């Protein structure tokens, strides 16, 4: 989460304290993502986020969104992605390849070629597929394309934000069959229990209370039934924060 003060300026002290708090909870910080307003802040602030994160973590692991802002009629811009990825790597982070119109407007074969091209620029990256309820340039890939992503050695995992358990379960089964070391990072804030099926997570909700999410994770690791009590409480928060954001009340699924 990127905090701002009463004057609308980034509160860098609170930001770095939150990065440290997240790392001390044994979660890997993710910066310049949607909870960091990556599509709303400018290049100068994104660069400062990386600098302050590097300084705060002092060599510890983090990931960061490689975001390219473009228009509905834009072509894929590998040079713009390279610039973002290089900046992240220079600061010690691993890039999360955020989607853009230019990337997702292509055929799925060309999308894979685009990821293969970007893979040549780094030692590792995380892919990202995003439902259109979150962003108009988002696209959920076919399972065939997802399998092709897994075949790229530099692709260490992929964040999946469809809010659909079935689609995520399919990806987990594919992962278990084809590449067990591949990370499926759930972005489903309405189903934060996907960790029990084998997902890792890149949840916006977890930045509200990284210490409590870490406690929940430890309970799962220990096989404690208290995991479910904690998880249910956090799930209520997820519905409170994300249901109205993702679906206007008159179009929400009837099961809600």
């Amino acid at each position: 989460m990127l905090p701002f003060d009463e004057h609308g300026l980034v509160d860098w002290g609170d930001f770095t304290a939150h990065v440290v708090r997240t790392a001390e909870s044994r979660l890997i910080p993710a910066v310049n993502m949607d909870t960091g307003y990556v599509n709303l802040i400018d290049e100068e602030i994104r660069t400062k986020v990386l600098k302050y994160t590097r300084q705060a973590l002092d060599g510890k692991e983090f990931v960061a969104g490689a975001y390219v802002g473009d228009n509905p009629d834009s072509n894929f811009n590998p040079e713009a992605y390279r610039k973002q990825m290089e900046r992240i790597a220079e600061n010690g982070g691993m890039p999360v390849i955020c989607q853009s119109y230019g990337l997702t407007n292509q055929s799925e074969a060309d999308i894979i070629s685009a990821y293969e091209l970007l893979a040549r620029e780094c030692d590792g990256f995380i892919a990202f597929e995003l439902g259109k309820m979150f962003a108009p340039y988002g696209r959920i890939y076919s399972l065939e394309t997802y399998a092709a992503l897994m075949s790229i050695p530099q692709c260490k995992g992929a964040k999946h934000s469809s809010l659909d358990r079935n689609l995520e379960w399919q990806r987990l089964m594919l992962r278990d069959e084809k590449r067990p070391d591949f990370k499926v990072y759930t972005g489903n804030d309405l189903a934060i229990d996907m960790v029990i099926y084998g997902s890792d997570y890149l949840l916006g909700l977890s930045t509200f209370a990284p210490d409590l999410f870490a406690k929940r994770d430890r309970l799962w690791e220990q096989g404690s039934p208290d995991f479910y009590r904690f998880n249910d409480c956090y799930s209520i928060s997820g519905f409170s924060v994300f249901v109205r954001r993702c679906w206007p009340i008159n179009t929400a699924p009837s099961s809600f």
Side-chain angles (χ1 to χ4, degrees):
M1 189 75 77
L2 186 63
F4 291 80
D5 64 21
E6 64 272 19
H7 304 294
L9 302 175
V10 177
D11 188 327
W12 293 111
D14 276 359
F15 170 73
T16 54
H18 189 47
V19 168
V20 171
R21 181 165 56 248
T22 302
E24 288 179 345
S25 298
R26 294 173 56 197
L27 301 182
I28 298 171
V31 301
N32 282 342
M33 299 292 293
D34 50 345
T35 46
Y37 314 104
V38 67
N39 58 319
L40 300 177
I41 59 178
D42 60 27
E43 187 68 17
E44 181 182 0
I45 294 178
R46 285 196 290 268
T47 301
K48 285 184 177 180
V49 165
L50 296 174
K51 181 187 78 171
Y52 280 109
T53 299
R54 182 191 74 237
Q55 292 173 351
L57 293 179
D58 192 25
K60 294 186 179 70
E61 185 178 5
F62 74 93
V63 303
Y67 174 77
V68 173
D70 61 2
N71 301 307
D73 58 351
S74 296
N75 294 321
F76 175 59
N77 188 343
E79 190 54 41
Y81 274 106
R82 285 192 194 100
K83 180 179 178 181
Q84 296 296 320
M85 295 167 68
E86 287 173 2
R87 188 163 296 157
I88 292 166
E90 287 168 358
N91 285 279
M94 178 183 290
V96 180
I97 307 299
C98 297
Q99 291 179 320
S100 62
Y101 287 110
L103 175 62
T104 60
N105 283 345
Q106 304 177 100
S107 69
E108 297 221 340
D110 287 338
I111 287 172
I112 291 301
S113 295
Y115 282 110
E116 290 173 338
L117 180 63
L118 296 179
R120 300 173 195 161
E121 306 299 321
C122 64
D123 295 327
F125 70 89
I126 297 171
F128 191 171
E129 48 178 356
L130 186 66
K132 287 190 180 297
M133 76 286 286
F134 293 108
Y137 50 77
R139 180 168 175 175
I140 301 298
Y141 302 134
S142 69
L143 273 182
E144 291 76 17
T145 295
Y146 200 87
L149 269 177
M150 289 196 297
S151 71
I152 301 173
Q154 295 92 332
C155 186
K156 306 303 182 182
K159 180 178 179 181
H160 178 77
S161 292
S162 70
L163 300 179
D164 187 323
R165 286 179 182 270
N166 288 324
L167 293 178
E168 193 164 330
W169 282 328
Q170 291 170 8
R171 282 151 176 75
L172 287 168
M173 289 188 288
L174 188 66
R175 184 274 308 275
D176 292 347
E177 175 188 345
K178 292 187 174 295
R179 187 178 163 188
D181 67 316
F182 190 85
K183 302 289 188 183
V184 177
Y185 293 101
T186 186
N188 191 345
D189 291 277
L190 308 183
I192 64 172
D193 63 346
M194 288 302 297
V195 295
I196 73 177
Y197 302 105
S199 293
D200 285 86
Y201 58 88
L202 247 172
L203 289 172
L205 190 65
S206 66
T207 198
F208 292 114
D211 53 336
L212 296 181
F213 267 82
K215 182 174 183 178
R216 179 203 67 155
D217 296 348
R218 287 194 296 273
L219 290 169
W220 174 248
E221 186 178 31
Q222 295 162 4
S224 171
D226 285 340
F227 164 86
Y228 296 97
R229 179 169 60 86
F230 274 79
N231 190 80
D232 289 347
C233 290
Y234 304 162
S235 295
I236 293 170
S237 300
F239 273 78
S240 299
V241 172
F242 285 95
V243 167
R244 183 159 293 190
R245 172 191 171 191
C246 298
W247 288 293
I249 198 66
N250 61 334
T251 62
S254 59
S255 60
F256 290 169

